[in-house]
Amino acid sequence: MTASSQLPTWPDGLTQVPYWVFQREDIYAMEQERLFRGPHWNYLCLEAEVASTGQYRTSWLGDTPVIISRGRDGELYAFENRCAHRGALIALDDRGTATEFTCVYHAWTYSVEGELTGVAFKDGINGEGGMPESFRMCEHWPRKLRLAVMHGLVFGSFDNEVEDIDDYLGEEISGRIERVLGGRTPVVIGRFTQMLPNNWKLYVENTKDSYHASILHLFFTTFELNKLNMRGGIIVSPGGGHHVSYSAIDRSAEPDAERDASYARQKIRSESGFQLADPSLLDGFSEVGDDTTLQILSTFPAFVLQQIQNSVAVRQILPRGVGRTELNWTLLGFAEDTPEQRRVRLKQANLVGSAGYISMEDGCVGGFVQRGVAGAADQAALLRMGGESAESSESRVTEASVRGFWKAYLAAMGMRSEVSV
Amino acid sequence: MSGWDRETAWLVGQAQAEYARCIDADELERWPDFFAEKCFYTVTTADNLREGLAAGLIWADTKGMLLDRVSALREANIYERHSYRHLLGRPLPCPAEHTDPPDEPRTETPFLVVRIMRDGTSSVFASGRYLDRWALSGSAPKLAERVVVCDSKRIDTLLALPL
């Protein structure tokens, strides 16, 4: 598919997003080719999930099923989960430990490193049948992925032209990944899948949209749980595709140590009449020893690393059709956690996921847009909050990181080579 | 199975039926009353249970947290109006765990929940089982522990109302 010329015109600048981009099958196919099979790093799994020899996970690079495994040499391998013979899935389970993989269809076998090692009846039976002399198993290995591991996150790409992961993410973004995951041993404490009734990009926009947070998510506001003195901001990578939104306790605004301590003790003011019966939900600890209580980080095209107080999770966003998205949540603790800290994580998991006090709305709001824009392919969304650019900002009342996504998207899709803003 | 007789079986069955009707009839304010003062409630998946992963979609280790769930749904959270219809199987008595208090029998009860959206769309939202422990000291059995194990790892759109 080369024909971005067959697509309607994209409005100038970054402040309008035409609704057809959430509705078209040809766009979906182009995204699969250019974003998910193209020169970009997509999140596959955690290194902790493939720690020992032969341990594997199945995952997806967009639509494409893949296997990530720990080889006998201790290295990580990833290859298409598709038999070289007739295309059947090689591994059917989500995860496990294997000495080799055998396709159930005709028992072709693969090493855990993804090499074709056996073809049933290759030499025929009693001199009859079998593969021709010219057949070489080494010419029929499943396609391998390039892999990059960053602080325990495994990213993959089919494209050999993909940048080095450090350059791809840049120092600011990888520094923020390191802040949450660096030097620690993540432990999976739960996995959940949420099916969203909307195009995947609507969820990506949502995660990058710092403007909606205090408006759509009323949990903190209703129970007056917002800390009094917070500072924060957003970071948008130079290419626009990656972002961080964060907030932190602003100690400079609290010169009085006494008052500081009393706020810390109370945590809650209640003037609205609503208060939590059990405020222990928010009795957390400093996640990594600093003052940052919230950090939402996304990488292009479709990955989120979240720290919301002490709820740490990764979210893999998988398109499942034009109007359907699979969101895979992996909730994390760390091997270093004390039992009390682990308990805090289990409590604060109530904030996130399909039933999350501050994220359940994100499960439905994309669907409201998908349904709302039906019949409006010729109309466009408006992204003018906080200006027209896609740059870092100390204000979170901005759509800069959403504009950043579209800037990176247009470039990666080849729909606009230079985006001037 | 200590504390399990025909009378208890009937009372537990009755409590289950009332629990389901409470949620389906949108009487969530009464939902925490089905739990003992000291209680535990979580919604998880069969995969997580099998792998021993402790986090839940909902995870509450106090009755206060259940009350907060209801106030959040009523006052804070935003979602499209919908309702559930719970269909429950018969509670099956299960062996006690060695840490269980005496006279707090365990049961396993299968459920099917149909979700009815505002626009009339009905779909099977969840199937699974309740793994329960019952406190029997009062006039009606109360849940000392309810682990809601969803058969599927997938939740469609969101889980607002409790299961």
Side-chain angles (χ1 to χ4, degrees), chain A residues 149-195:
Chain A
V149 179
M150 173 153 289
H151 303 297
L153 306 173
V154 181
F155 294 88
S157 177
F158 279 124
D159 196 321
N160 286 323
E161 302 300 310
V162 66
E163 280 179 287
D164 183 86
I165 188 98
D166 294 313
D167 299 331
Y168 182 80
L169 295 175
E171 258 176 48
E172 246 182 331
I173 300 295
S174 33
R176 287 285 181 156
I177 295 176
E178 182 176 19
R179 181 188 155 266
V180 176
L181 299 176
R184 303 205 280 177
T185 314
V187 178
V188 175
I189 61 170
R191 293 187 186 90
F192 300 97
T193 295
Q194 187 174 9
M195 299 306 293

Side-chain angles (χ1 to χ4, degrees), chain A residues 173-316:
Chain A
I173 300 295
S174 33
R176 287 285 181 156
I177 295 176
E178 182 176 19
R179 181 188 155 266
V180 176
L181 299 176
R184 303 205 280 177
T185 314
V187 178
V188 175
I189 61 170
R191 293 187 186 90
F192 300 97
T193 295
Q194 187 174 9
M195 299 306 293
L196 305 175
N198 53 266
N199 188 271
W200 68 279
K201 300 185 292 299
L202 290 169
Y203 186 76
V204 171
E205 281 193 316
N206 175 275
T207 67
K208 290 174 183 279
D209 173 3
S210 48
Y211 173 32
H212 85 284
S214 63
I215 300 169
L216 177 65
H217 307 308
L218 294 176
F219 180 74
F220 281 101
T221 316
T222 301
F223 295 100
E224 304 212 7
L225 302 171
N226 295 317
K227 297 263 176 65
L228 296 181
N229 296 300
M230 300 299 282
R231 63 190 164 81
I234 59 161
I235 301 166
V236 184
S237 66
H242 321 304
H243 105 289
V244 176
S245 171
Y246 64 95
S247 57
I249 301 161
D250 187 356
R251 298 199 183 273
S252 67
E254 295 176 34
D256 185 335
E258 188 63 26
R259 195 181 59 177
D260 190 288
S262 85
Y263 282 149
R265 273 196 304 276
Q266 291 180 25
K267 285 203 170 72
I268 297 158
R269 300 175 307 149
S270 191
E271 290 158 11
S272 66
F274 297 113
Q275 61 183 68
L276 290 178
D278 184 355
S280 69
L281 177 70
L282 298 161
D283 285 343
F285 53 94
S286 171
E287 180 60 45
V288 293
D290 62 13
D291 285 336
T292 298
T293 52
L294 176 138
Q295 177 182 303
I296 305 292
L297 180 151
S298 70
T299 72
F300 191 80
F303 169 73
V304 178
L305 167 66
Q306 131 212 328
Q307 175 221 339
I308 297 174
Q309 308 214 0
N310 301 116
S311 170
V312 179
V314 295
R315 310 180 202 160
Q316 180 189 34

Side-chain angles (χ1 to χ4, degrees), chain A residues 71-88:
Chain A
R72 287 162 292 183
D73 56 359
E75 296 294 315
L76 272 186
Y77 292 84
F79 46 96
E80 277 184 295
N81 186 5
R82 176 167 61 77
C83 184
H85 177 215
R86 299 266 288 276

Side-chain angles (χ1 to χ4, degrees), chain A residues 1 23-30 321-322:
Chain A
M1 190 149 327
Q23 300 172 323
R24 294 175 63 109
E25 295 284 351
D26 54 356
I27 285 285
Y28 185 89
M30 265 174 74
V322 168

Side-chain angles (χ1 to χ4, degrees), chain A residues 94-95 277-278 350 371, chain B residues 51 59 61-62 68 80 153:
Chain A
D94 290 346
R95 64 190 72 82
D278 184 355
N350 283 293
R371 279 148 60 190
Chain B
E51 292 191 38
W59 193 96
D61 64 350
T62 64
D68 292 338
E80 204 165 10
K153 63 184 172 185

